């Protein structure tokens, strides 16, 4: 039996992303001394909230060609087969397989596909709340974060440094900030 949780303001229905108030970003170690951050400018997601919040489902995509790290040369390299291979694999995707509560925190388990490779990933989920915007739209806000090993997805290009170590770290942190709109 699945536990049922109560969330004030919770409504059952279909939700879509408000892209002007949402972001899909990532960070990775560079030269082992700092982090490079980037984001995907074009993304979409659908959330279906069920009577029991733990039965909510998520389906999301991001367009690889929209990657933006504020460096055109690096962004171009990220689109090649060395990294995401945008011509062959134009999107990244995530499909949830379950939501659970663990020690008072929420987790979203699902399948993440990068460069045609699908692996299970768990996002830590932080719920922000519900509210109605000035235009009468009912919205929900939340954050999600996961760490993945890029090598598991076939994203394994790297370069050795003269001082030791490598140019790009293996662990990538994916951070999602979303404001979703309940559909009529």
């Amino acid at each position: 039996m699945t536990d049922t949780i109560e969330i004030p303001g919770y409504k059952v229905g279909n939700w879509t992303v408000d892209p002007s108030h949402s972001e899909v970003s990532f960070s990775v170690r560079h030269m082992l001394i700092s982090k490079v951050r980037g984001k995907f400018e074009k993304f979409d997601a659908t959330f279906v909230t069920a009577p029991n919040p733990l039965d909510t489902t998520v389906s999301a995509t991001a367009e690889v060609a929209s990657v933006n790290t504020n460096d055109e040369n690096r962004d171009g390299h990220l689109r090649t087969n060395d990294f995401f291979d945008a011509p062959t694999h134009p999107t990244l995707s995530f499909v949830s397989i379950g939501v659970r509560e663990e020690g008072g925190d929420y987790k979203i388990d699902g399948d993440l596909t990068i460069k045609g490779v699908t692996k299970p990933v768990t996002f830590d989920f932080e719920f922000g709340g519900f509210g109605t915007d000035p235009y009468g739209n009912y919205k929900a806000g939340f954050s999600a974060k996961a760490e993945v090993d890029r090598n598991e997805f076939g994203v394994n290009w790297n370069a050795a440094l003269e001082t030791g170590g490598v140019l790009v770290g293996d662990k990538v942190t994916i951070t999602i900030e979303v404001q979703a709109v309940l559909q009529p």
Side-chain angles (χ1 to χ4, degrees), residues 89-172:
H89 304 286
T91 59
L92 312 174
S93 66
F94 177 80
V95 177
S96 68
I97 58 172
V99 179
R100 59 191 161 91
E101 185 177 12
E102 187 178 284
D105 296 324
Y106 294 99
K107 310 281 184 184
I108 299 176
D109 299 313
D111 292 324
L112 178 64
T113 302
I114 300 173
K115 203 174 179 180
V117 177
T118 302
K119 296 286 184 181
V121 171
T122 298
F123 279 87
D124 295 323
F125 179 83
E126 181 182 331
F127 179 67
F130 295 100
T132 302
D133 72 13
Y135 308 103
N137 299 303
Y138 197 66
K139 293 188 168 186
F142 60 86
S143 302
K145 184 182 273 192
E147 184 178 85
V148 299
D149 183 333
R150 65 188 182 90
N151 296 294
E152 292 180 358
F153 295 92
V155 182
N156 49 23
W157 180 90
N158 224 329
L161 299 174
E162 286 182 25
T163 57
V166 291
L167 188 63
V168 183
D170 292 337
K171 301 295 182 189
V172 178

